[in-house]
Each structure stands twice: as structure tokens, then as C-alpha cells.
Coordinates of all heavy atoms in Angstrom, one line a residue:
F1 N 9.6 -10.8 12.8 CA 10.5 -10.9 11.7 C 9.7 -11.1 10.4 O 8.8 -11.9 10.4 CB 11.5 -12.0 11.8 CG 12.6 -11.8 12.8 CD1 12.3 -11.9 14.2 CD2 13.9 -11.4 12.4 CE1 13.3 -11.7 15.1 CE2 14.9 -11.1 13.4 CZ 14.6 -11.3 14.7
I2 N 10.1 -10.4 9.3 CA 9.6 -10.8 8.0 C 10.8 -11.2 7.2 O 11.7 -10.4 6.9 CB 8.9 -9.6 7.3 CG1 7.6 -9.2 8.1 CG2 8.5 -9.9 5.9 CD1 6.9 -8.0 7.6
G3 N 10.8 -12.5 6.8 CA 12.1 -13.0 6.2 C 13.2 -13.0 7.3 O 12.9 -13.3 8.4
D4 N 14.3 -12.5 6.9 CA 15.4 -12.4 7.9 C 15.5 -11.0 8.6 O 16.4 -10.7 9.4 CB 16.8 -12.6 7.2 CG 16.9 -14.0 6.6 OD1 16.3 -14.9 7.2 OD2 17.5 -14.2 5.5
K5 N 14.5 -10.1 8.3 CA 14.6 -8.8 8.8 C 13.7 -8.6 10.0 O 12.5 -8.9 10.0 CB 14.1 -7.8 7.7 CG 14.2 -6.3 8.0 CD 13.7 -5.5 6.9 CE 13.8 -4.0 7.2 NZ 13.3 -3.1 6.1
D6 N 14.3 -8.1 11.1 CA 13.5 -7.7 12.3 C 12.8 -6.4 12.0 O 13.4 -5.4 11.8 CB 14.5 -7.5 13.5 CG 13.8 -7.3 14.8 OD1 12.6 -6.9 14.8 OD2 14.4 -7.4 15.9
V7 N 11.4 -6.5 12.0 CA 10.6 -5.3 11.6 C 9.9 -4.7 12.9 O 9.0 -3.9 12.7 CB 9.6 -5.7 10.5 CG1 10.3 -6.1 9.3 CG2 8.6 -6.7 11.0
T8 N 10.3 -5.2 14.0 CA 9.7 -4.7 15.3 C 9.5 -3.2 15.4 O 8.5 -2.7 15.8 CB 10.4 -5.3 16.5 OG1 10.6 -6.7 16.4 CG2 9.7 -5.0 17.8
N9 N 10.6 -2.5 15.0 CA 10.5 -1.0 15.1 C 10.6 -0.4 13.7 O 10.9 0.8 13.6 CB 11.7 -0.6 16.0 CG 11.6 -1.1 17.4 OD1 10.6 -0.9 18.0 ND2 12.6 -1.8 17.8
V10 N 10.2 -1.1 12.7 CA 10.2 -0.6 11.3 C 8.9 0.1 11.0 O 7.8 -0.5 11.4 CB 10.6 -1.7 10.3 CG1 10.4 -1.2 8.9 CG2 12.0 -2.2 10.5
A11 N 8.9 1.2 10.3 CA 7.6 1.9 9.9 C 6.8 1.0 9.0 O 7.4 0.2 8.2 CB 7.9 3.2 9.2
P12 N 5.5 1.1 9.1 CA 4.6 0.2 8.2 C 5.0 0.3 6.7 O 5.0 -0.7 6.1 CB 3.2 0.8 8.5 CG 3.3 1.4 9.9 CD 4.7 1.9 10.0
K13 N 5.3 1.5 6.2 CA 5.5 1.7 4.8 C 6.8 0.9 4.4 O 7.0 0.7 3.1 CB 5.6 3.1 4.4 CG 6.8 3.9 5.1 CD 6.7 5.4 4.7 CE 7.9 6.2 5.3 NZ 9.2 5.7 4.9
D14 N 7.7 0.6 5.3 CA 8.9 0.0 5.0 C 9.0 -1.5 5.3 O 10.0 -2.2 5.2 CB 10.1 0.6 5.8 CG 10.2 2.1 5.4 OD1 10.1 2.5 4.2 OD2 10.5 2.9 6.3
R15 N 7.8 -2.1 5.5 CA 7.7 -3.5 5.9 C 7.5 -4.4 4.7 O 7.5 -5.7 4.8 CB 6.7 -3.8 6.9 CG 7.0 -3.1 8.3 CD 6.1 -3.6 9.4 NE 6.5 -2.9 10.7 CZ 6.2 -3.4 11.9 NH1 5.5 -4.5 12.0 NH2 6.6 -2.7 12.9
D16 N 7.2 -3.8 3.5 CA 6.9 -4.6 2.3 C 5.7 -5.5 2.5 O 5.8 -6.7 2.2 CB 8.1 -5.4 1.8 CG 8.0 -5.8 0.4 OD1 7.1 -5.3 -0.3 OD2 8.9 -6.6 -0.1
I17 N 4.6 -5.0 3.0 CA 3.4 -5.7 3.2 C 2.3 -5.0 2.5 O 2.4 -3.7 2.3 CB 3.1 -5.9 4.7 CG1 3.0 -4.6 5.5 CG2 4.1 -6.9 5.4 CD1 1.7 -4.0 5.7
A18 N 1.2 -5.6 2.2 CA 0.0 -5.0 1.7 C -1.2 -5.5 2.5 O -1.3 -6.7 2.7 CB -0.2 -5.3 0.2
M19 N -2.1 -4.6 2.8 CA -3.2 -5.0 3.7 C -4.6 -4.8 3.0 O -4.8 -3.7 2.4 CB -3.1 -4.1 5.0 CG -4.0 -4.7 6.1 SD -3.4 -4.0 7.7 CE -4.6 -4.8 8.9
V20 N -5.5 -5.7 3.2 CA -6.8 -5.6 2.7 C -7.7 -5.5 3.9 O -7.8 -6.4 4.8 CB -7.2 -6.8 1.9 CG1 -8.6 -6.7 1.4 CG2 -6.2 -7.0 0.7
F21 N -8.5 -4.4 4.0 CA -9.3 -4.1 5.1 C -10.8 -4.6 4.9 O -11.2 -4.8 3.8 CB -9.3 -2.6 5.5 CG -8.0 -2.1 5.9 CD1 -7.2 -1.5 4.9 CD2 -7.6 -2.1 7.2 CE1 -5.9 -1.0 5.3 CE2 -6.4 -1.6 7.6 CZ -5.5 -1.0 6.6
Q22 N -11.5 -4.7 6.0 CA -12.9 -5.1 6.0 C -13.7 -4.0 5.3 O -14.7 -4.4 4.6 CB -13.4 -5.1 7.5 CG -14.9 -5.4 7.7 CD -15.2 -5.4 9.1 OE1 -14.4 -5.7 10.0 NE2 -16.5 -5.2 9.5
S23 N -13.3 -2.8 5.3 CA -14.2 -1.7 4.8 C -13.8 -1.3 3.4 O -14.4 -0.3 2.8 CB -14.0 -0.4 5.7 OG -12.7 0.0 5.7
Y24 N -12.9 -2.0 2.7 CA -12.5 -1.8 1.3 C -11.6 -0.5 1.2 O -10.6 -0.6 0.6 CB -13.6 -1.6 0.3 CG -14.8 -2.6 0.4 CD1 -16.1 -2.2 0.2 CD2 -14.5 -4.0 0.8 CE1 -17.1 -3.1 0.3 CE2 -15.6 -4.9 0.9 CZ -16.9 -4.5 0.6 OH -17.9 -5.3 0.7
A25 N -12.1 0.6 1.9 CA -11.3 1.8 1.9 C -10.9 2.3 0.5 O -9.7 2.7 0.2 CB -10.0 1.7 2.8
L26 N -11.8 2.3 -0.4 CA -11.5 2.8 -1.8 C -11.8 4.3 -1.9 O -12.7 4.8 -1.2 CB -12.4 2.1 -2.8 CG -12.3 0.5 -2.9 CD1 -13.3 0.0 -3.9 CD2 -10.9 0.1 -3.2
Y27 N -11.1 5.0 -2.8 CA -11.3 6.4 -3.0 C -12.5 6.6 -3.9 O -12.5 6.1 -5.1 CB -10.1 7.1 -3.6 CG -8.9 7.0 -2.7 CD1 -7.8 6.1 -2.9 CD2 -8.8 7.8 -1.6 CE1 -6.7 6.1 -2.1 CE2 -7.7 7.8 -0.7 CZ -6.6 6.9 -1.0 OH -5.6 6.9 -0.2
P28 N -13.6 7.2 -3.5 CA -14.8 7.2 -4.3 C -14.7 8.1 -5.6 O -15.4 7.8 -6.5 CB -15.8 7.9 -3.3 CG -15.0 8.6 -2.3 CD -13.8 7.9 -2.2
H29 N -13.8 9.0 -5.6 CA -13.7 9.9 -6.8 C -12.7 9.3 -7.8 O -12.6 9.9 -8.9 CB -13.1 11.3 -6.3 CG -11.8 11.3 -5.7 ND1 -11.6 10.8 -4.4 CD2 -10.6 11.6 -6.2 CE1 -10.3 10.9 -4.2 NE2 -9.6 11.4 -5.2
M30 N -12.1 8.2 -7.5 CA -11.1 7.6 -8.4 C -11.8 6.4 -9.1 O -12.6 5.7 -8.6 CB -9.9 7.1 -7.7 CG -9.0 8.2 -7.2 SD -7.5 7.4 -6.4 CE -6.7 8.9 -5.8
S31 N -11.4 6.1 -10.3 CA -11.8 4.9 -11.1 C -11.2 3.7 -10.4 O -10.3 3.8 -9.6 CB -11.4 5.0 -12.5 OG -10.0 4.9 -12.6
V32 N -11.6 2.5 -10.9 CA -11.0 1.3 -10.4 C -9.5 1.2 -10.7 O -8.7 0.9 -9.8 CB -11.8 0.0 -11.0 CG1 -11.0 -1.3 -10.8 CG2 -13.2 -0.1 -10.5
A33 N -9.2 1.6 -11.9 CA -7.8 1.5 -12.3 C -6.9 2.5 -11.4 O -5.8 2.2 -11.0 CB -7.6 1.9 -13.8
E34 N -7.5 3.7 -11.2 CA -6.8 4.7 -10.4 C -6.6 4.2 -8.9 O -5.6 4.4 -8.3 CB -7.5 6.0 -10.4 CG -7.4 6.7 -11.8 CD -8.3 7.9 -11.9 OE1 -9.4 7.9 -11.2 OE2 -8.0 8.8 -12.8
N35 N -7.7 3.6 -8.4 CA -7.6 3.1 -7.0 C -6.5 2.0 -6.9 O -5.8 2.0 -6.0 CB -9.0 2.5 -6.6 CG -9.8 3.4 -5.8 OD1 -9.6 3.7 -4.7 ND2 -10.9 4.0 -6.5
M36 N -6.5 1.1 -7.9 CA -5.5 0.0 -7.9 C -4.1 0.5 -8.0 O -3.2 -0.1 -7.4 CB -5.9 -1.0 -8.9 CG -7.2 -1.8 -8.6 SD -7.7 -2.9 -10.0 CE -6.4 -4.0 -10.2
G37 N -3.9 1.5 -8.8 CA -2.6 2.0 -9.0 C -2.1 3.2 -8.2 O -0.9 3.6 -8.3
F38 N -2.9 3.6 -7.3 CA -2.6 4.8 -6.5 C -1.3 4.7 -5.7 O -0.5 5.6 -5.7 CB -3.8 5.3 -5.6 CG -3.6 6.5 -4.9 CD1 -3.5 7.7 -5.6 CD2 -3.4 6.6 -3.5 CE1 -3.3 9.0 -5.0 CE2 -3.2 7.8 -2.9 CZ -3.2 9.0 -3.6
A39 N -1.2 3.6 -5.0 CA 0.0 3.4 -4.1 C 1.3 3.4 -5.0 O 2.3 3.8 -4.5 CB -0.2 2.1 -3.3
L40 N 1.2 2.8 -6.2 CA 2.3 2.8 -7.1 C 2.7 4.2 -7.5 O 3.9 4.5 -7.7 CB 2.0 1.9 -8.3 CG 1.7 0.4 -8.0 CD1 1.4 -0.3 -9.3 CD2 2.8 -0.3 -7.2
K41 N 1.6 5.0 -7.8 CA 1.9 6.4 -8.2 C 2.6 7.2 -7.1 O 3.5 7.9 -7.4 CB 0.5 7.0 -8.5 CG 0.6 8.4 -9.1 CD -0.7 9.0 -9.4 CE -0.6 10.4 -10.0 NZ -2.0 11.0 -10.4
I42 N 2.1 7.0 -5.9 CA 2.7 7.7 -4.7 C 4.2 7.2 -4.6 O 5.1 8.0 -4.2 CB 2.0 7.4 -3.4 CG1 0.6 8.0 -3.5 CG2 2.7 7.9 -2.2 CD1 0.6 9.5 -3.6
A43 N 4.5 5.9 -4.9 CA 5.8 5.4 -4.7 C 6.7 5.8 -5.9 O 7.9 5.5 -5.9 CB 5.7 3.9 -4.7
G44 N 6.2 6.5 -6.9 CA 7.0 7.0 -8.0 C 7.2 6.0 -9.1 O 8.1 6.2 -9.9
I45 N 6.4 5.0 -9.2 CA 6.5 4.0 -10.2 C 6.1 4.6 -11.6 O 5.0 5.3 -11.6 CB 5.7 2.7 -9.9 CG1 6.0 2.1 -8.6 CG2 5.8 1.7 -11.1 CD1 7.4 1.6 -8.5
A46 N 6.8 4.4 -12.6 CA 6.5 4.9 -13.9 C 5.1 4.5 -14.4 O 4.6 3.4 -14.1 CB 7.5 4.5 -15.0
K47 N 4.4 5.4 -15.2 CA 3.1 5.1 -15.6 C 2.9 3.8 -16.4 O 2.0 3.0 -16.2 CB 2.5 6.3 -16.5 CG 1.0 6.1 -16.8 CD 0.5 7.3 -17.6 CE -1.0 7.2 -17.8 NZ -1.4 6.0 -18.4
E48 N 3.9 3.5 -17.3 CA 3.8 2.3 -18.1 C 3.8 1.1 -17.2 O 3.1 0.1 -17.4 CB 5.0 2.3 -19.1 CG 5.0 3.3 -20.2 CD 5.4 4.7 -19.6 OE1 6.0 4.8 -18.5 OE2 5.1 5.7 -20.4

């Protein structure tokens, strides 16, 4: 459970978690700002 929600069979993208890996997993062709904001861009968050 995360909070009151049973996430046992919930997809990773719908669990409202963020993971930091051992290998950093940064995109080499993107700037620091682009790397940090990429997940928000994919989620459709406005640029501002």
C-alpha cells in the first residue's frame, strides 16, 4: 500500500513514486535542465 491505495497490481507509472538509481541514467544528449524536466514534459506539464 502507498497511503490508502493498494498498489500491488498498479503499473509503475501510476504509483506516484520517483526512483533514483545507482547508475544515474541521465540522457547524455540533454542538458541538466532538460534531464530534470524530461519526465514532466512527457507528462504534458506546461513549459512555464
Side-chain angles (χ1 to χ4, degrees):
F1 288 79
I2 296 177
D4 296 327
K5 183 179 179 182
D6 185 343
V7 298
T8 307
N9 298 305
V10 172
K13 66 183 178 62
D14 298 323
R15 294 193 180 199
D16 199 9
I17 54 95
M19 195 159 181
V20 180
F21 295 94
Q22 175 181 339
S23 60
Y24 315 145
L26 302 178
Y27 296 106
H29 62 287
M30 292 184 183
S31 69
V32 166
E34 289 168 337
N35 264 286
M36 289 171 65
F38 184 67
L40 301 181
K41 185 177 181 180
I42 294 299
I45 304 296
K47 186 177 186 306
E48 293 76 14

